[in-house]
């Protein structure tokens, strides 16, 4: 509990002593709490009624305090008086009572207020300004007065020179005006005013100068694709609100949109980045996995804004680009099937494979067990990828924990509902879904089992080679997705809720590339 001096106007308390003890003593080369220096003051308790009632009464009289209701103030066991109010700095036989700085004896005497002088009298008392004489070489205008009129300020003057005067004062002012006009013209020519709603410097135009820069920084095939994508999403991006975290708020009924009513225009602060810059930030984050601090310094915005842009655009781009990942019908597959695949597998519908992405270890023990991959010896998320015969990614599953098997993911992903009778599916040995496909009238081609065999037969070896040559394209398609460094490196645990959207965007951009198999 804080002990405060009871004298009116004195702020000494026990906190001051505690802070003093933590300060450094230069004399003893240690903090005051461990040296031999005395504290600046001490808080002394009032004498008790039982031990010294007379001294207690005199202390109370010296303090001279009143309660708010006007009654006499009586100290409690918590009240103190600091030693600053005693002549000897403590209670002594010679000076046992507080007598110094008691709050009511040291008050300054009231100042006498001088009567206010009217304004016209103050103006009349001011001396007139002396006349300002021009330079010797200056011509005088006889029509002008020989002295300046009286003013409120003695530094006020009026030039009495003619137009075109070449005296020293006029020439100095003329040179200053010319210099300021020259600086103003230079500022107007060099500094361009920023366009409303756009950044002062277009970083995207500087970074993405050609096709090689676009491939290196964004993963898109060329600059034309980036321009087309930015033009496609720009109208909806300008009406989009940044994601600002989960807010547990309820919208009032008066603000809810009624059926058939148009949505109001977007309100809020002016955007600091153009849609092209925001798209560039998101794609650079996916492709190069740059930190938000680097991107904020590059685009001259705050790290929090970069984080808001990324979290908002990931959801937005996933919705916009998801139509690029579609399940083609049989007629389209037959029309686009490469010649090499048509000769080997004429009824091939898709090739399946699962891939994993490293994530940070979750803090929750159950999540650690669900995401642990015995194959990768790391915490991962796992998803299913299906490609058509020409190498286009035609199906993506949701992300699962690394502990899930290929069979479970395939059954739960919903891809089996898309299989039609007579389809042929290529997969690895881990996809033990032959019975599920037979129920749908489809067939499964996987490499022959080799577990427990010292050597495979020649027929099995040829079959394995044939399937491997066809299955290699799904690995190449996954490799196109993993050119994005965000899928190569360990994903932060805070980004795991966005992993499904990240996978969709990477797969859609991979589908923008030329066909894998021709």
């Amino acid at each position: 509990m804080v002990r405060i001096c009871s004298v009116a106007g004195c702020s000494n308390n026990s906190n001051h002593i505690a802070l003093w003890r933590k300060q450094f003593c230069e004399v003893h080369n240690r903090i005051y709490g461990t040296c031999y220096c005395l504290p600046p003051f001490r808080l002394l308790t009032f004498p008790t009624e039982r031990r010294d009632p007379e001294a207690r009464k005199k202390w109370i009289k010296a303090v001279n305090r009143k309660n708010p209701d006007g009654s006499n103030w009586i100290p409690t066991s918590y009240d103190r008086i600091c030693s600053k109010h005693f002549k000897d700095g403590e209670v002594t036989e010679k000076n046992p009572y507080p007598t110094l700085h008691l709050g009511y004896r040291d008050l300054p005497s009231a100042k006498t207020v001088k009567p206010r002088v009217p304004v016209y009298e103050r103006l009349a008392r001011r001396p007139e300004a002396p006349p300002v004489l021009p330079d010797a070489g200056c011509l005088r205008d006889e029509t002008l007065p020989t002295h300046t009129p009286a003013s409120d300020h003695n530094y006020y003057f009026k030039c009495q020179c003619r137009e075109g005067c070449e005296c020293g004062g006029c020439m100095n002012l003329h040179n200053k005006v010319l210099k300021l006009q020259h600086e103003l013209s230079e500022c107007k020519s060099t500094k361009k005013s920023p366009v409303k709603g756009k950044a002062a410097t277009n970083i995207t135009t500087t970074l993405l100068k050609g096709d090689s820069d676009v491939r290196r920084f964004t993963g898109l095939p060329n600059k034309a694709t980036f321009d087309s994508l930015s033009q496609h999403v720009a109208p909806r991006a300008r009406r989009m609100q940044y994601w600002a975290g989960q807010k547990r708020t309820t919208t009032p009924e008066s603000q809810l949109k009624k059926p058939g009513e148009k949505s109001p225009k977007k309100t809020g602060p002016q955007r600091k980045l153009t849609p092209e810059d925001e798209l560039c930030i998101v794609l650079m984050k996916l492709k190069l996995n740059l930190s938000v601090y680097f991107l904020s310094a590059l685009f001259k915005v705050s790290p929090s804004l970069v984080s808001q842009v990324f979290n908002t655009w990931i959801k937005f781009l996933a919705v916009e680009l998801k139509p690029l990942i579609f399940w083609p019908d049989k007629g389209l597959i037959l029309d686009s099937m490469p010649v090499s695949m048509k000769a080997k597998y004429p009824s091939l519908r898709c090739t399946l494979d699962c891939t994993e992405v490293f994530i940070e270890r979750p803090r929750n023990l159950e999540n650690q067990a669900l995401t642990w991959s015995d194959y990768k010896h790391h915490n991962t998320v796992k998803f299913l990828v299906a490609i058509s015969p020409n190498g286009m990614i035609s199906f993506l599953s949701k992300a699962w924990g690394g502990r899930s098997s290929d069979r479970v993911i395939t059954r739960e992903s919903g891809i089996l509902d898309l299989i039609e009778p007579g389809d042929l599916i290529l997969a690895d040995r881990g996809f033990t879904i032959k019975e599920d496909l037979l129920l749908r009238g489809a067939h499964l081609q996987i490499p022959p089992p080799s577990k427990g065999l010292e050597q495979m037969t020649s027929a099995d070896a040829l079959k394995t080679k044939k399937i491997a040559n066809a299955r290699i394209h799904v690995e190449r398609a996954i490799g196109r997705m993993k050119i994005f460094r965000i899928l190569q490196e360990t994903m932060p645990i805070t980004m795991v809720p966005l992993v499904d959207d990240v996978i969709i965007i990477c797969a859609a951009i991979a589908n923008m590339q030329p066909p894998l198999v021709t």
Side-chain angles (χ1 to χ4, degrees):
M1 184 176 179
V2 181
R3 313 292 186 185
I4 304 176
C5 182
S6 301
V7 175
C10 183
S11 61
N12 291 335
N13 55 61
S14 57
N15 278 347
H16 293 174
I17 298 178
L19 293 175
W20 172 83
R21 293 179 183 275
K22 298 178 182 179
Q23 296 178 3
F24 186 77
C25 178
E26 297 181 357
V27 178
H28 301 101
N29 198 23
R30 62 178 69 180
I31 61 174
Y32 283 116
T34 58
C35 71
Y36 307 105
C37 296
L38 296 177
F41 61 88
R42 294 169 52 205
L43 293 174
L44 307 175
T45 58
F46 280 78
T48 60
E49 187 71 30
R50 182 173 60 86
R51 300 185 62 179
D52 198 348
E54 293 298 328
R56 181 180 176 85
K57 291 180 181 179
K58 291 184 178 180
W59 279 40
I60 296 174
K61 185 177 180 180
V63 172
N64 192 24
R65 284 180 56 179
K66 296 287 185 181
N67 292 323
D69 58 356
S71 59
N72 293 328
W73 173 79
I74 298 176
T76 64
S77 59
Y78 302 105
D79 293 313
R80 301 287 188 271
I81 294 182
C82 69
S83 58
K84 295 285 187 179
H85 306 290
F86 294 84
K87 289 185 178 181
D88 299 331
E90 58 180 352
V91 179
T92 59
E93 294 183 0
K94 186 177 180 181
N95 298 297
Y97 311 119
T99 56
L100 301 176
H101 315 297
L102 296 177
Y104 55 90
R105 297 177 183 176
D106 301 333
L107 293 176
S109 58
K111 295 182 180 179
T112 57
V113 181
K114 297 181 180 180
R116 183 175 179 82
V117 181
V119 177
Y120 63 89
E121 292 185 8
R122 294 201 305 270
L123 294 176
R125 295 177 186 177
R126 291 182 179 176
E128 293 185 357
V132 179
L133 298 178
D135 292 345
C138 177
L139 298 177
R140 174 184 294 275
D141 189 350
E142 300 297 337
T143 61
L144 297 174
T146 58
H147 64 277
T148 58
S151 174
D152 290 344
H153 305 284
N154 56 7
Y155 53 81
Y156 171 80
F157 71 95
K158 183 177 181 180
C159 180
Q160 299 176 0
C161 303
R162 291 181 177 179
E163 184 178 358
C165 176
E166 297 182 355
C167 67
C170 293
M171 292 303 296
N172 288 335
L173 292 176
H174 181 66
N175 292 333
K176 288 183 180 179
V177 171
L178 292 178
K179 184 178 179 181
L180 291 174
Q181 289 178 348
H182 179 67
E183 292 178 355
L184 180 61
S185 62
E186 286 185 349
C187 292
K188 288 182 178 180
S189 60
T190 57
K191 185 176 180 61
K192 296 181 180 180
S193 59
V195 181
K196 184 177 180 181
K198 293 189 177 181
T201 57
N202 195 346
I203 306 298
T204 303
T205 306
T206 306
L207 288 175
L208 308 180
K209 295 180 179 179
D211 294 345
S212 60
D213 295 331
V214 173
R215 286 192 295 270
R216 185 181 302 112
F217 295 137
T218 67
L220 294 172
N222 48 53
K223 195 172 188 304
T225 306
F226 178 83
D227 295 337
S228 301
L229 180 60
S230 61
Q231 292 175 5
H232 173 72
V233 300
R236 286 177 290 278
R238 291 190 180 95
R239 300 193 301 267
M240 181 173 57
Q241 280 189 324
Y242 292 138
W243 184 82
Q246 295 180 355
K247 297 180 179 179
R248 298 181 180 179
T249 57
T250 304
T251 305
E253 294 183 0
S254 58
Q255 298 181 8
L256 292 176
K257 188 177 71 170
K258 298 178 181 179
E261 183 181 1
K262 293 183 178 181
S263 300
K265 293 183 178 180
K266 177 188 174 296
T267 58
Q270 185 71 39
R271 293 282 180 95
K272 296 183 179 180
L273 296 170
T274 61
E276 291 80 8
D277 290 339
E278 294 180 351
L279 176 62
C280 185
I281 286 176
V282 176
L283 295 179
M284 288 180 67
K285 174 68 175 175
L286 295 175
K287 180 64 169 63
L288 306 177
N289 201 16
L290 301 174
S291 67
V292 294
Y293 299 100
F294 180 84
L295 291 172
S296 65
L298 182 62
F299 286 85
K300 299 178 182 180
V301 293
S302 63
S304 61
L305 178 60
V306 173
S307 179
Q308 285 183 346
V309 168
F310 181 77
N311 290 327
T312 305
W313 273 76
I314 283 293
K315 294 286 187 182
F316 174 61
L317 279 181
V319 174
E320 294 292 327
L321 299 181
K322 193 171 184 180
L324 296 177
I325 306 169
F326 62 94
W327 185 260
D329 56 14
K330 280 188 176 182
L332 184 58
I333 287 179
L334 291 175
D335 294 339
S336 62
M337 182 175 290
V339 178
S340 59
M341 300 296 293
K342 187 179 294 186
K344 297 178 182 179
Y345 302 104
S347 60
L348 178 63
R349 189 67 183 271
C350 68
T351 306
L352 302 180
D353 197 8
C354 283
T355 186
E356 299 182 64
V357 177
F358 285 7
I359 63 170
E360 291 180 348
R361 185 177 63 180
R363 185 175 296 179
N364 185 274
L365 295 178
E366 183 179 358
N367 292 337
Q368 288 183 25
L370 292 175
T371 57
W372 178 255
S373 173
D374 290 330
Y375 179 67
K376 297 290 186 179
H377 300 285
H378 201 280
N379 294 96
T380 64
V381 291
K382 191 175 184 180
F383 55 94
L384 175 69
V385 180
I387 66 166
S388 59
N390 66 347
M392 184 195 74
I393 299 174
S394 57
F395 184 84
L396 279 177
S397 71
K398 298 289 185 181
W400 290 68
R403 184 182 179 182
S404 304
S405 64
D406 299 343
R407 181 180 182 180
V408 171
I409 296 176
T410 305
R411 285 180 170 178
E412 298 294 333
S413 64
I415 190 173
L416 296 179
D417 299 332
L418 303 175
I419 303 298
E420 299 178 8
D423 290 342
L424 176 65
I425 310 298
L426 292 181
D428 198 6
R429 291 189 182 94
F431 289 84
T432 55
I433 55 173
K434 187 174 182 179
E435 294 80 4
D436 300 299
L437 293 176
L438 288 176
L439 292 174
R440 291 166 173 79
H443 304 282
L444 176 68
Q445 282 279 0
I446 62 174
S450 60
K451 187 176 181 181
L453 300 177
E454 294 182 0
Q455 185 175 0
M456 296 179 64
T457 62
S458 58
D460 290 344
L462 290 175
K463 185 178 180 180
T464 301
K465 183 178 180 180
K466 181 181 177 181
I467 296 175
N469 289 337
R471 279 193 64 256
I472 192 63
H473 302 302
V474 71
E475 300 290 346
R476 295 173 60 196
I478 293 173
R480 278 187 172 182
M481 292 177 57
K482 290 197 174 181
I483 64 169
F484 293 90
R485 195 167 293 178
I486 197 169
L487 299 181
Q488 296 178 14
E489 300 175 357
T490 303
M491 185 176 292
I493 198 67
T494 55
M495 201 178 293
V496 172
L498 301 174
V499 66
D500 291 329
D501 302 310
V502 170
I503 293 170
I504 290 174
I505 296 173
C506 296
I509 295 177
N511 280 346
M512 295 181 187
Q513 307 290 338
L516 273 175
V517 188
T518 56

